[in-house]
């Protein structure tokens, strides 16, 4: 069953569909999507406050499928100045801003696409359309991308890890070369675009969020999947940076944890992206290792990384143990090529453009080597679309009816509150049980001291039989607890005869005689 949060977003979108229009990315093919013809098929994933859905445009003969990303529009502060006096970014009329989705257009990720990525690249998850709409008091942003029906590399890596296997080498060559292609395009180092007027003198687009979860996979459209692999689509540019080609940016983050970052940490450049790409490939070909730092620095004095000496920091960051050879099942050629992107010194690390040139021939050679082909596992598709993330159209149609979504929200809120209450009660029950167990253990220790003392006095004998001993300890625990509560108990306990008297009094109090009529 789809999570209610996803159902809620989908139903709110469908409700709002008569109130907005969808804008095409002017640099791409015109899709002319009709909001009321969008069918929600699956909840692909959620990340932070973003929801990704697999949707279908049922208004077209081909029923084109998209990845629809919904998120609340954030106040990102002043946006970049308009490119020209007549730019839409100069518009201030609230009505015009809302109807033409100018707030969405000014958001960082969409601005990255429209100003810099533009018509995009075949290995970029290109923006096809966008708009904004209202969900109650929230202003929402919607982005349409082609559906990546192969999931992402994080899902793939987890699947292989769970199954204890590794991806085929030919597949690794393919996705590695395509990922570097995408980076070369973003960094404006791709030879194919050097004379393209849309990208001439464009700054480098850096991707500091680059990780396995935003490297998507898409199967070739309308083709059999036999004998082929999916292609890479690099996406999620919400935190992208723009710098002159070959330059970088220093990010002032004194609390930065360098464990999973490139060795240059707060200096972000195109070569940092190359390191991240290499780390993704490294994790796919090793599984049990990552390029994280290997030297701990949080000692007894609880020092943060920023408080270490420069020498100590460098020793941690440039530790050669961060990078080992990949799995021996793979060829040395692949190992060497992945290692090139993981050179610790970023000054010696190749750029994406340089690496693309080095990858071109060996990647092409492997691409055409049919004898190397090994099919990807069947579970790969199963992890993308499952019964648990597929929408019930009947349920969605019910939620968009007047009052139904509001009622469902109240019901969900109550269910969440009840669930939290159950968790608190369970935690309290466990806490009480733990305290009782600790008290029983303490009481048992005191009992043996008491038993030894009273046996030494000749008042009682040491209990040898386990059952008899356990039964007496149970009696002792009860009387001791009552004495401690009354404030009259002195460890390890009273004399044996006094104990029996107290027990008799306690039992009488628990079962009082009936009152005469």
């Amino acid at each position: 069953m789809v999570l209610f949060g996803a159902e809620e977003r989908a139903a709110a979108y469908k409700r709002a569909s008569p109130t907005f229009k969808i804008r095409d990315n002017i640099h791409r093919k015109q899709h002319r999507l009709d909001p009321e013809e969008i069918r929600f098929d699956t909840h692909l994933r959620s990340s932070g406050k973003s929801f990704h859905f697999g949707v279908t445009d049922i208004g077209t003969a081909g029923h084109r499928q998209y990845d629809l990303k919904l998120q609340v529009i954030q106040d990102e502060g002043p946006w970049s100045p308009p490119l020209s006096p007549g730019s839409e970014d100069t518009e201030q009329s609230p009505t015009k801003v809302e109807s033409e989705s100018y707030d969405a257009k000014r958001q960082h990720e969409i601005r990255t696409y429209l100003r810099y990525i533009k018509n995009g690249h075949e290995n970029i998850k290109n923006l096809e359309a966008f708009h904004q709409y209202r969900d109650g008091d929230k202003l929402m942003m919607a982005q349409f991308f082609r559906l990546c029906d192969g999931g992402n590399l994080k899902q793939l890596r987890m699947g292989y890890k769970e199954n204890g296997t590794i991806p085929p080498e030919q597949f690794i060559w393919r996705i590695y070369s395509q990922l570097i292609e995408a980076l070369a395009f973003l960094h404006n180092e791709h030879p194919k675009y050097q004379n393209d007027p849309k990208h001439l003198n464009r700054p480098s687009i850096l991707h500091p969020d680059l990780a396995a979860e935003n490297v998507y996979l898409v199967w070739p459209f309308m083709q059999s999947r036999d004998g082929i692999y999916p292609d890479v689509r690099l996406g999620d540019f919400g935190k992208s940076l723009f710098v002159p080609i070959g330059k970088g940016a220093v990010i002032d983050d004194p609390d930065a944890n360098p464990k999973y970052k490139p060795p240059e940490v707060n200096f972000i450049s195109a070569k940092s992206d190359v390191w991240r790409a290499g780390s993704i490939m490294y994790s796919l070909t090793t599984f049990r290792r990552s390029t994280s730092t290997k030297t701990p620095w949080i000692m007894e004095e609880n020092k943060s990384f920023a408080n270490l000496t420069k020498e100590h920091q460098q020793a941690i960051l440039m530790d050669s143990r961060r990078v080992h050879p990949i799995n021996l099942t793979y060829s040395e050629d692949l190992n060497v090529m992945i290692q090139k992107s993981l050179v610790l010194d970023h000054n010696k690390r190749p750029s994406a453009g340089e690496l693309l040139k080095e990858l071109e021939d060996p990647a092409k050679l492997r691409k055409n080597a049919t004898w190397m082909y090994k099919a990807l596992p069947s579970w790969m598709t199963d992890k993308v679309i499952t019964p648990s993330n597929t929408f019930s159209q009947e349920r969605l149609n019910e939620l968009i009816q007047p009052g139904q979504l509001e009622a469902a929200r109240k019901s969900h809120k109550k269910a969440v509150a009840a669930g939290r209450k159950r968790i608190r009660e369970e935690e309290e029950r466990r806490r009480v049980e733990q305290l009782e167990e600790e008290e029983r253990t303490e009481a048992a220790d005191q009992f043996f001291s008491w038993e030894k003392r009273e046996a030494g006095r000749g008042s009682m004998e040491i209990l040898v039989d386990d059952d008899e001993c356990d039964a007496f300890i149970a009696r002792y625990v009860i009387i001791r607890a009552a004495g401690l509560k009354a404030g009259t108990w002195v460890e390890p306990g009273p004399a044996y005869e006094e104990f029996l008297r107290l027990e008799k009094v306690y039992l009488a109090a628990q079962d009082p005689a009936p009152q005469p009529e």
Side-chain angles (χ1 to χ4, degrees), residues 6-20:
E7 283 187 331
E8 182 182 25
R9 294 295 187 282
Y13 184 94
K14 288 175 70 68
R15 270 190 173 185
S17 59
T19 68
F20 59 79

Side-chain angles (χ1 to χ4, degrees), residues 9 49-52 69-74 76 107 109 133 139-143:
R9 294 295 187 282
K49 294 184 178 180
S50 299
F51 286 79
H52 289 256
K69 180 180 180 180
L70 303 180
Q71 64 189 104
V72 176
I73 289 183
Q74 304 290 334
E76 297 181 342
Q107 290 289 293
E109 185 167 28
Y133 67 101
L139 183 59
M140 304 292 294
M141 174 173 72
Q143 299 177 77

Side-chain angles (χ1 to χ4, degrees), residues 256-262 265 291-293 297 305 316-317 322:
N257 185 337
K259 188 171 179 66
Y260 296 105
K261 291 189 175 185
V265 192
T291 56
S292 62
T293 55
W297 65 86
F305 184 79
I316 292 169
L317 296 172
R322 295 184 70 170

